[in-house]
Amino acid sequence: MPVAHCPLHGLEADDLSCSIREHITHSLGKHCREAGNRDVAMALSLTLRDRLVDRMLATRDRYRESRAKRMYYLSIEYLLGRCLGNNIYNMNIQGEMGGLLAEWGFNLEEIREFERDPALGNGGLGRLAACFLDSLATLDMPGCGYGIHYEYGLFKQTFENDRQVERPDYWMAEGMPLQIERRDQSVIVPVYGRVENHQAPDGSYLPLWVDWQDLVGVPYDIPIVGYGGHTVNYLRLFAAKSTDNFDMQIFDQGDYIKAIHQKVYSELVSKILYPSESISFGKELRLVQEYFLVFCSIRDITRRFLKQNRNIEELPEYIAIQLNDTHPALTVAELMRLLVDERRVPWDRAWNITTRTLAFTNHTLMPEALEKWPVELMEKVLPRHLQIIYEINRRFLDSIRLSGTVDAGTIQRLSLIEENGGKQVRMAHLAVVGSHSVNGVSKLHSELVKKVLFPEYATLWPGKFNNKTNGITPRRWLYKANPGLAGLITESIGESWITDLDELQKLAPLAEDAAFRAKFAAVKRAAKAHLADFVAKTTGVVVSPDAVFDMQAKRIHEYKRQLLNVMHIIHDYLRITEDGYIPPTPRVYFFAGKAAPGYFEAKEIIHLILRLARVINGDKRVSEYLKVIFTADYRVSLAEKLIPAADVSEQISTAGTEASGTGNMKFSVNGALTIGTLDGANIEIREAVGEENFYLFGLTTPEVERQLAEGSYDPWEHYRKHPEIRRVLDAISAGRFSPEEPAAFHWIFEKLLARNERYFHLADFMAYIEAHERIGMDYSRPDVWMRKAVLNTARMGYFSSDRTIREYAKDIWGIKPIPPRGM
């Protein structure tokens, strides 16, 4: 690889070649002939960064010149995935880059493997945020993200003795060449202290927050490039650092630990995603972490706003802020504090500004996920914010009482403060009261938000509540993740689907074309063969790409019902080994997902899956028909291997528990058929792809709600009635899959048969195995199966995050595209 000196900004192969060689020499300090895969990966990232920064600055200037209203997305998580490949594909230079590297003896796919997934998120919440950022940039929308620059992710998952083990996930070990440090825009963050009550010269109340400690929030920008490379927005992440203040007197007296305590504590704030709340310090750190995100974001947003606008009361005309779930709900109190205390805006006008600026997305129906903070803790950490929350609550409840139409019970349910069992601040309530829009993320979920979570608020403000069904970016999840299928689609209908997913409907007539179905099947088999190679290398288990690849890849939780899937696998295993049953098609069951470190049941479900895999994969009687694979450390880059290869997508949560789900969309657009309940976005997917192309089973939400309300669900009735259920549960209880620990999984037997079992595993089991029987029969007829698979891909246009973002922009944010001139 010869040395070269050249301009850095072009996208032609020669320009890219020059830049990569320049960075190897002058950024990495090596001769080009010495460069290995890791060096090339770093130089390639820096080369792209040069071009992205140019376009990011041009995008910023474009927004400023147009005085565009901007949207800022506040999220505790962003699950970006590897950025190098995504940037290459969105800039549409994968051909140039692949060819260039091949000339030098390198492989682009191998180079990309040297990048680690940024560990800035855990699940669907963070991945949705990343999809939204991609769509905003692709649509030329002035919108950016704010988050936390975690040093460690949730954890790196490994398996030892068939159990999940959590390892530190130091994702920055190799650095992240894409990010840009903005230390000159650091923010001083006050925390702790106390409030002194004073009087202003005009006689008004003047609170002074004093004796606070300070943290420093240092921003890092990650450029977010839209498809085509015309617009580059950014994700701004704040890392917590200590101030330069250092108490030398304490240090000189020999109390070194106390002297450095503040520095150590300060930097803990952004050390790890989701510190454990099982101890009081972890709970306190989590509250400080959420406040840190909010304070840094609001300070930065208003700083930018005031550079172009002198009147803070014009904020809602130029700024929209979206709260991604309850984690940033303190934004309501912080924005009020800034307006009332610092800008001296009268309360009523400040409240008007706040509510017109903020909007809130709810993402869960699980009561335990609706955050509440003890008043005592908030008073310690954020004394002024607690005062503001109490004042918001007082004024709000007084206005309700004046209407004379609500009783004491309703007032109690509307209050921002929960009084039972120790006073707590209800963060979801704060977000609802302080926002002009509250949305759910699927049609069913949005109805349940009004009916179950916030019925009193929905009655009070029916116009505030709306639905915005989630979507996924087709650039990451089809164009990049599945180049074989993407190429076939482009060959058949052109490439406009990349930015207009509704174009996929042009594939529907091709479902009747035998030649196209054969090509579609070949692409799917190639993806399965690729995954089979990966599985063999990483687990040592050999699987056939001619088997049904059945996948459940998501966070491990009881409501997502991995246990139901396990029960069906055990059912088939026992039929083959004890009844001589021969399945119509062989199956490989894939699991992927992490269990929260403190969630006993979820971790034991993983334990059971791994024990089951060990038994089944080692049993020669079933080796032709059945395999079980648990791929460790589920993340975006692993999902990109799994999803294109899936034949069957398991979306089997109990009806009424999943807000939306986006994994269901990723699998379906890649030609997998869904087996699922009428839950979350499954309902809308089934309507879109056609009932005949979706394997439905299970109770409906009203049926679940009725049985829960009446207490009429009796698991023992199903156990006694169905020998299939008895055989599976008895095998688990008797230690069939844990002979060295016979009682290891008896708790599952007891839990599933308890009258208070919330997730209706046994009630849905017989319908679930019947749906799987239909899958087996249909898959054994390739023309039938491939017709269904093609129609799944063809009819998924609605589920693009581009559509979702357009709806947010029009209905909630009031922002418009600002494309480059001439476009």
Side-chain angles (χ1 to χ4, degrees):
M1 191 191 302
V3 179
H5 300 277
C6 50
L8 295 174
H9 307 296
L11 292 177
E12 300 299 323
D14 288 346
D15 295 325
L16 294 168
S17 171
C18 287
S19 285
I20 293 169
R21 287 178 285 160
E22 282 284 338
H23 277 298
I24 288 172
T25 302
H26 297 116
S27 299
L28 305 183
K30 291 190 174 184
H31 290 300
C32 291
R33 64 177 178 273
E34 300 172 336
N37 277 342
R38 192 180 304 277
D39 303 314
V40 173
M42 180 69 74
L44 178 51
S45 295
L46 292 170
T47 293
L48 289 178
R49 189 179 91 153
D50 293 338
R51 286 145 179 82
L52 292 176
V53 169
D54 282 344
R55 289 158 176 78
M56 185 172 72
L57 294 175
T59 300
R60 184 193 67 183
D61 292 343
R62 197 165 78 232
Y63 294 162
R64 284 180 177 174
E65 290 168 9
S66 66
R67 292 182 60 81
K69 183 175 183 178
R70 305 189 194 194
M71 188 284 301
Y72 298 102
Y73 199 79
L74 272 59
S75 180
I76 202 78
E77 290 188 36
Y78 289 92
L79 205 57
L80 295 175
R82 292 171 177 166
C83 297
L84 177 58
N86 196 67
N87 291 335
I88 289 172
Y89 272 79
N90 270 11
M91 296 177 80
N92 208 17
I93 55 173
Q94 61 270 31
E96 291 87 343
M97 201 64 79
L100 178 62
L101 294 178
E103 287 180 14
W104 297 340
F106 296 97
N107 179 279
L108 178 58
E109 293 307 305
E110 291 177 4
I111 294 296
R112 285 171 49 200
E113 289 296 316
F114 280 89
E115 182 184 9
R116 293 184 66 164
D117 288 53
L120 301 168
N122 176 41
L125 184 80
R127 186 52 234 172
L128 180 75
C131 284
F132 281 3
L133 294 183
D134 177 276
S135 287
L136 283 161
T138 296
L139 295 170
D140 301 315
M141 296 272 194
C144 301
Y146 279 95
I148 295 178
H149 193 289
Y150 302 105
E151 187 174 341
Y152 291 88
L154 186 69
F155 58 83
K156 185 175 177 62
Q157 182 191 54
T158 60
F159 300 136
E160 293 181 10
N161 298 319
D162 298 324
R163 294 179 184 273
Q164 172 180 288
V165 176
E166 300 92 28
R167 305 289 187 197
D169 186 6
Y170 184 46
W171 67 278
M172 284 291 293
E174 299 292 331
M176 189 185 191
L178 186 64
Q179 71 182 8
I180 305 155
E181 183 180 300
R182 304 285 197 186
R183 191 169 287 269
D184 60 307
Q185 296 176 19
S186 296
V187 175
I188 302 295
V189 184
V191 66
Y192 299 107
R194 58 191 175 83
V195 178
E196 290 184 350
N197 300 317
H198 294 272
Q199 194 174 61
D202 62 1
S204 61
Y205 175 56
L206 180 64
L208 291 181
W209 185 6
V210 299
D211 295 340
W212 39 265
Q213 301 173 26
D214 48 13
L215 313 175
V216 178
V218 178
Y220 293 80
D221 288 349
I222 297 177
I224 305 294
V225 59
Y227 182 74
H230 308 297
T231 293
V232 179
N233 293 328
Y234 62 87
L235 168 61
R236 175 157 287 196
L237 304 172
F238 285 91
K241 306 293 183 182
S242 62
T243 64
D244 293 332
N245 298 330
F246 193 78
D247 196 327
M248 285 303 300
Q249 184 176 356
I250 295 176
F251 191 87
D252 291 342
Q253 290 171 353
D255 195 345
Y256 308 121
I257 299 300
K258 185 175 180 180
I260 65 171
H261 173 268
Q262 181 62 34
K263 174 178 171 60
V264 173
Y265 178 80
S266 297
E267 298 185 359
L268 279 177
V269 171
S270 59
K271 185 69 71 176
I272 188 168
L273 172 67
Y274 294 147
S276 171
E277 295 185 48
S278 59
I279 57 174
S280 60
F281 178 73
K283 186 181 288 287
E284 182 175 324
L285 183 59
R286 177 78 175 268
L287 175 59
V288 173
Q289 192 177 72
E290 293 183 3
Y291 165 68
F292 176 78
L293 164 64
V294 164
F295 186 94
C296 290
S297 302
I298 293 299
R299 185 65 55 167
D300 199 62
I301 291 167
T302 53
R303 176 188 61 80
R304 289 174 180 273
F305 169 79
L306 291 169
K307 286 178 81 171
Q308 283 194 290
N309 306 271
R310 292 186 177 182
N311 186 357
I312 193 70
E313 298 198 33
E314 293 179 351
L315 190 72
E317 308 302 323
Y318 293 96
I319 300 295
I321 298 174
Q322 189 71 33
L323 310 179
N324 193 29
D325 220 356
T326 56
H327 312 106
L330 278 167
T331 303
V332 178
E334 173 54 25
L335 186 51
M336 283 296 291
R337 189 199 66 79
L338 183 145
L339 292 169
V340 173
D341 291 1
E342 295 187 23
R343 310 299 301 187
R344 305 303 294 162
V345 178
W347 182 280
D348 289 342
R349 298 216 304 263
W351 185 244
N352 179 265
I353 294 167
T354 296
T355 55
R356 288 170 57 209
T357 302
L358 304 183
F360 168 53
T361 301
N362 171 271
H363 282 279
T364 183
L365 296 167
M366 297 287 104
E368 61 269 24
L370 296 176
E371 289 188 308
K372 299 174 185 176
W373 292 110
V375 165
E376 183 179 9
L377 175 60
M378 189 166 284
E379 186 171 30
K380 173 187 176 184
V381 175
L382 301 169
R384 178 57 183 147
H385 294 76
L386 181 63
Q387 283 187 341
I388 289 170
I389 290 168
Y390 266 109
E391 182 63 12
I392 292 170
N393 196 45
R394 182 189 69 78
R395 289 173 182 249
F396 166 58
L397 295 182
D398 283 351
S399 69
I400 299 301
R401 291 187 184 98
L402 283 174
S403 70
T405 59
V406 295
D407 56 26
T410 302
I411 290 288
Q412 190 176 52
R413 290 188 294 275
L414 287 169
S415 176
L416 306 187
I417 309 299
E418 184 174 282
E419 304 283 351
N420 299 326
K423 290 186 177 183
Q424 298 188 92
V425 180
R426 295 163 163 165
M427 302 309 290
H429 285 48
L430 177 64
V432 170
V433 171
S435 299
H436 70 270
S437 168
V438 177
N439 72 278
V441 291
S442 70
K443 288 180 180 177
L444 174 63
H445 172 243
S446 295
E447 287 304 308
L448 293 174
V449 165
K450 294 187 288 186
K451 178 182 174 183
V452 177
L453 288 185
F454 306 121
E456 292 81 12
Y457 286 114
T459 300
L460 191 64
W461 299 310
K464 180 181 284 196
F465 289 80
N466 61 93
N467 174 56
K468 295 290 174 283
T469 296
N470 282 344
I472 60 170
T473 168
R475 273 77 59 185
R476 167 75 73 169
W477 294 111
L478 183 50
Y479 178 59
K480 174 181 175 291
N482 198 344
L485 181 55
L488 176 60
I489 293 170
T490 297
E491 172 192 313
S492 303
I493 65 171
E495 63 180 16
S496 60
W497 65 269
I498 299 170
T499 53
D500 182 4
L501 203 60
D502 285 331
E503 287 286 296
L504 291 183
Q505 63 190 333
K506 292 179 180 177
L507 294 173
L510 297 177
E512 304 305 320
D513 183 331
F516 181 81
R517 290 199 304 271
K519 291 179 181 178
F520 197 95
V523 165
K524 177 64 73 172
R525 194 185 188 284
K528 292 167 71 174
H530 181 68
L531 178 60
D533 289 343
F534 173 79
V535 167
K537 291 174 183 175
T538 55
T539 71
V541 180
V542 176
V543 300
S544 169
D546 295 316
V548 177
F549 278 19
D550 183 307
M551 298 193 186
Q552 190 172 19
K554 54 184 74 242
R555 180 167 52 95
I556 310 298
H557 197 289
E558 290 167 277
Y559 87 83
K560 294 179 183 288
R561 297 205 296 192
Q562 283 89 356
L563 261 181
L564 186 64
N565 193 348
V566 168
M567 289 170 62
H568 170 249
I569 297 169
I570 293 173
H571 168 73
D572 269 3
Y573 173 71
L574 295 176
R575 283 205 297 168
I576 295 168
T577 57
E578 296 180 0
D579 303 341
Y581 169 70
I582 298 178
T585 53
R587 298 238 191 153
V588 181
Y589 290 93
F590 288 85
F591 292 87
K594 297 179 180 181
Y599 190 172
F600 168 81
E601 290 86 354
K603 293 181 76 169
E604 281 301 296
I605 289 168
I606 292 177
H607 183 201
L608 174 59
I609 294 168
L610 293 171
R611 291 300 308 161
L612 181 64
R614 186 176 296 279
V615 170
I616 289 176
N617 297 342
D619 192 332
K620 294 181 179 179
R621 295 173 297 173
V622 298
S623 60
E624 289 183 54
Y625 310 115
L626 201 58
K627 294 283 177 69
V628 178
I629 305 295
F630 201 127
T631 52
D633 203 34
Y634 190 49
R635 58 205 183 277
V636 172
S637 56
L638 178 56
E640 289 176 337
K641 292 181 174 67
L642 293 172
I643 290 170
D647 294 306
V648 176
S649 165
E650 299 270 353
Q651 307 297 331
I652 59 178
S653 54
T654 311
T657 59
E658 187 73 81
S660 169
T662 52
N664 46 10
M665 302 169 190
K666 294 161 194 164
F667 281 107
S668 192
V669 79
N670 280 278
L673 274 62
T674 303
I675 178 170
T677 53
L678 289 176
D679 194 30
N682 284 358
I683 297 170
E684 292 157 83
I685 291 175
R686 181 170 176 261
E687 290 173 355
V689 304
E691 296 178 8
E692 68 280 7
N693 302 314
F694 185 107
Y695 296 92
L696 178 68
F697 76 96
L699 298 173
T700 64
T701 298
E703 289 169 338
V704 169
E705 289 175 342
R706 178 179 57 77
Q707 293 195 46
L708 286 174
E710 296 173 353
S712 57
Y713 174 49
D714 182 5
W716 280 98
E717 178 183 340
H718 298 278
Y719 177 83
R720 288 188 290 265
K721 183 178 180 180
H722 299 291
E724 298 91 342
I725 292 176
R726 283 201 304 278
R727 181 157 73 164
V728 169
L729 288 189
D730 289 350
I732 293 171
S733 178
R736 177 74 176 266
F737 306 103
S738 55
E740 71 289 349
E741 297 179 85
F745 303 117
H746 182 69
W747 70 269
I748 293 175
F749 178 90
E750 293 180 334
K751 181 133 190 170
L752 294 185
L753 287 169
R755 287 297 293 261
N756 63 349
E757 202 275 301
R758 298 167 53 192
Y759 302 116
F760 294 83
H761 287 78
L762 304 192
D764 279 351
F765 182 69
M766 297 307 297
Y768 181 56
I769 63 173
E770 189 276 328
H772 268 292
E773 292 296 311
R774 286 186 279 128
I775 287 172
M777 295 306 297
D778 285 349
Y779 191 84
S780 67
R781 298 179 291 171
D783 280 350
V784 170
W785 186 267
M786 279 302 143
R787 186 178 289 107
K788 292 175 180 286
V790 171
L791 289 173
N792 263 262
T793 296
R795 294 172 175 172
M796 286 297 290
Y798 176 77
F799 300 96
S800 168
S801 52
D802 297 349
R803 184 268 314 157
T804 312
I805 287 298
R806 286 192 183 99
E807 291 181 1
Y808 273 102
K810 176 177 176 288
D811 300 339
I812 299 176
W813 302 331
I815 64 172
K816 297 178 181 179
I818 310 293
R821 288 189 180 91
M823 294 191 64

